[in-house]
Amino acid sequence: MGFDRQQFAAALESVRCRRKALERSPNRQSDTQDLDFSVHLFETLPSTNQKLWELLDAGAGPLTVAIAIQQEAGRGQWGRQWHSPPGGLYLSVALAPNLPAQQSGQLTICSAWGIATILREYDLPVLLKWPNDLVLSGLKLGGILSETRVQQGRITKAVIGVGINLANPVPETGINIQSFLTDLTNPVLSLEMLAAITLVGLMSGYHFWQREGIDTLLPAYANLLTSIGRSVLVDGRPGVVVGVALNGDLRVRLLPKGFAPSSEIYLKPGTISLGYE
Ligand code: BTN
């Protein structure tokens, strides 16, 4: 499976047009701007995130994009490896958010929400698993890895990496788009189209967050979360997932136990696994 630049340019145009048409309601401001991506294509890379940091260090600017057909050392969350054989989408985009470092979790939230929202417009009922998983039919369709550089307490540069299973083999807890779609004319089935949809979705999530703020984004993100209302155990104590806090932490209501009354706690990403049922 290769990647055709011309097909990608046409795909980007068609995704933008379709999005703009959907946004053309009277009270809605557009989040789909004409973005000038500078796209770098590679056959094989260790990691598109790593490559993008190298390009940024060499002077590349925001909206630089790295795409690879396969990765040999794809990076996943919590230091895991992201298995990246040909057939999947492996893409990273550079942003320059200039935001307080404490808001870095919100980059993952707006990107995940933007991508899930646009994929839903292409007949893929994608949901989200906190904080960064794209979920389809209860299985992992893809994931997002945000990396940031901070100077004097502010995020000056960010790399948002996205991996989505298109036609690549997946583990038992995973799913790819090809196996889900029965309509073989669905445009998402081409790598160029999936890359265009992902970029437009990610950037519209980012613009929506910048324009409306986290207070408006969070309820929209929570609407797509699979884990709200789910029972969990925190250090042996039963609780229920009730939402996501402004800083991106998971909000869990602990149930009363013995003399301990009910209380709400915030959990950082990586401190609890919500698993795949
Ligand atoms: C996760 O663990 O769920 C996040 C996976 C993110 C993988 C993508 S693939 C493209 C980009 N380059 C990387 O090395 N990782 C991200």
Side-chain angles (χ1 to χ4, degrees):
M1 198 185 235
F3 192 97
D4 184 301
R5 251 182 199 283
Q6 276 182 347
Q7 259 188 50
F8 172 68
L12 208 49
E13 193 48 37
S14 103
V15 176
R16 272 185 190 140
C17 286
R18 182 168 157 163
R19 239 320 160 89
K20 278 191 178 152
L22 286 175
E23 285 172 346
R24 214 164 277 146
S25 67
N27 298 321
R28 183 153 171 197
Q29 243 182 302
S30 174
D31 291 308
T32 307
Q33 303 169 4
D34 291 334
L35 301 159
D36 222 353
F37 296 113
S38 163
V39 179
H40 298 247
L41 282 176
F42 302 89
E43 187 57 43
T44 305
L45 281 179
S47 147
T48 53
N49 271 30
Q50 182 192 319
K51 185 63 179 184
L52 199 43
W53 283 119
E54 287 166 16
L55 292 170
L56 290 174
D57 288 341
L63 298 185
T64 303
V65 174
I67 297 175
I69 297 299
Q70 60 181 331
Q71 300 182 118
E72 287 173 334
R75 300 176 185 167
Q77 290 269 333
W78 338 128
R80 292 190 193 128
Q81 209 189 335
W82 186 257
H83 188 54
S84 313
L89 174 70
Y90 313 110
L91 167 158
S92 302
V93 59
L95 301 172
N98 188 19
L99 287 165
Q102 304 87 283
Q103 293 184 11
S104 63
Q106 297 178 14
L107 276 170
T108 303
I109 286 183
C110 70
S111 307
W113 174 77
I115 296 169
T117 301
I118 198 166
L119 286 172
R120 294 172 70 84
E121 292 165 12
Y122 285 85
D123 294 337
L124 288 168
V126 174
L127 292 169
L128 297 168
K129 185 161 87 63
W130 177 83
N132 69 316
D133 282 8
L134 303 168
V135 176
L136 186 61
S137 296
L139 298 164
K140 182 153 176 165
L141 175 69
I144 290 146
L145 178 68
S146 308
E147 298 175 336
T148 53
R149 289 252 175 95
V150 174
Q151 268 178 351
Q152 288 161 347
R154 296 191 74 82
I155 306 164
T156 50
K157 291 178 184 173
V159 166
I160 316 293
V162 187
I164 299 183
N165 302 319
L166 176 58
N168 52 301
V170 291
E172 232 172 66
T173 51
I175 186 168
N176 70 25
I177 291 178
Q178 197 179 54
S179 67
F180 178 85
L181 283 178
T182 44
D183 173 9
L184 297 181
T185 63
N186 188 313
V188 185
L189 284 164
S190 99
L191 193 55
E192 292 82 357
M193 190 69 178
L194 181 61
I197 289 171
T198 301
L199 278 175
V200 172
L202 190 159
M203 292 309 299
S204 73
Y206 179 66
H207 288 137
F208 181 81
W209 169 50
Q210 290 208 315
R211 184 164 57 78
E212 300 285 336
I214 191 69
D215 293 332
T216 309
L217 173 64
L218 264 193
Y221 170 84
N223 258 342
L224 294 183
L225 273 186
T226 52
S227 25
I228 301 280
R230 210 175 130 187
S231 301
V232 289
L233 273 183
V234 184
D235 297 332
R237 182 137 173 225
V240 176
V241 175
V242 289
V244 176
L246 288 183
N247 65 353
D249 289 358
L250 191 70
R251 290 171 46 215
V252 173
R253 172 146 291 279
L254 293 177
L255 305 177
K257 191 179 176 195
F259 291 112
S262 167
S263 60
E264 192 171 304
I265 55 163
Y266 287 11
L267 298 176
K268 294 253 165 269
T271 57
I272 186 171
S273 166
L274 296 171
Y276 284 90
E277 296 97 70

